[in-house]
Amino acid sequence: MSKLTIEEIVVVEGKDDTRRLQEVVNVDTIETIGSAINEAILMQIEHAQETRGVIVFTDPDFSGEKIRKTIMEVVPQAKHAFLPRKQAQPKKKGSLGVEHASNEAILEALKKVVTPSEEEFDEIPRQMLLDYGLIAGAQAKEKREKLGDELRIGYTNGKQLAKRLKMFRITPEELRQAMKKVEAKHD
């Protein structure tokens, strides 16, 4: 079976991520060298966006989110691939990472790439997020993590959730449908 070829350049955190992706798909990458992303790398990502397009595929952890945010400020039209945290667990000890994901998880993330929108869009009311227990309550963090997996928008903290939902044009109806699935899995 021939490997899938990714047209865009995929932005990853390091050599291990590049090696792992290249085992699964034909892909060119730009490595941010962890969260110490510098001006030269950002310029390279900007150029890649202009020539082939970019997919940001960072680890589902704090530094991965920090890198993603930094890139979004420079290249707001970049596409995003997200791995659920549970699919990025190392076999033994260590931190979460793209390099630990199965072939299937990597392919799934790259096939379900999402693109943020620059259009004006109705935000999900804060009250709706409160009603679903996403920004307050005992299981808020767990629910946000499951919602992020369900909508393929990654994990966010309570403050970032509304921004991320808006960025990916998630409608109140899509949120309702996703929360039905999250709550069904939760029970």
Side-chain angles (χ1 to χ4, degrees), residues 121-126 129 134-135 144 153 156-170:
F121 185 72
D122 290 338
E123 280 187 57
I124 295 199
R126 181 172 168 78
L129 300 178
L134 291 165
I135 50 179
R144 282 193 310 274
I153 61 171
T156 59
N157 63 29
K159 282 184 175 177
Q160 290 296 315
L161 180 61
K163 276 188 197 162
R164 186 75 55 92
L165 292 169
K166 181 179 180 182
M167 179 172 72
F168 290 107
R169 293 185 279 187
I170 305 297

Side-chain angles (χ1 to χ4, degrees), residues 10-59:
V10 179
V11 179
V12 294
E13 291 181 47
K15 288 185 190 75
D16 290 339
D17 298 329
T18 292
R19 179 190 46 73
R20 186 70 189 100
L21 286 182
Q22 289 174 344
E23 288 172 2
V24 183
V25 292
N26 294 315
V27 65
D28 294 317
T29 63
I30 294 173
E31 295 164 3
T32 66
I33 311 158
S35 58
I37 187 167
N38 63 34
E39 206 56 44
I41 292 170
L42 287 170
M43 285 173 63
Q44 200 181 357
I45 293 168
E46 223 172 354
H47 180 68
Q49 177 63 29
E50 291 164 11
T51 56
R52 288 178 49 192
V54 163
I55 299 172
V56 180
F57 196 12
T58 55
D59 298 344

Side-chain angles (χ1 to χ4, degrees), residues 5 39 43 59 79 93 103 108 112 118 125 128 139 155 170:
T5 298
E39 206 56 44
M43 285 173 63
D59 298 344
K79 295 176 181 176
K93 282 191 171 143
N103 293 4
E108 180 81 1
K112 293 182 174 178
E118 297 191 11
M128 191 174 185
Q139 278 96 32
Y155 171 75
I170 305 297

Side-chain angles (χ1 to χ4, degrees), residues 98-136:
V98 170
E99 73 270 19
H100 303 302
S102 68
N103 293 4
E104 296 75 25
I106 289 170
L107 286 169
E108 180 81 1
L110 289 169
K111 285 178 182 169
K112 293 182 174 178
V113 163
V114 284
T115 310
S117 170
E118 297 191 11
E119 295 171 23
E120 274 307 304
F121 185 72
D122 290 338
E123 280 187 57
I124 295 199
R126 181 172 168 78
Q127 189 58 51
M128 191 174 185
L129 300 178
L130 282 166
D131 292 346
Y132 280 122
L134 291 165
I135 50 179

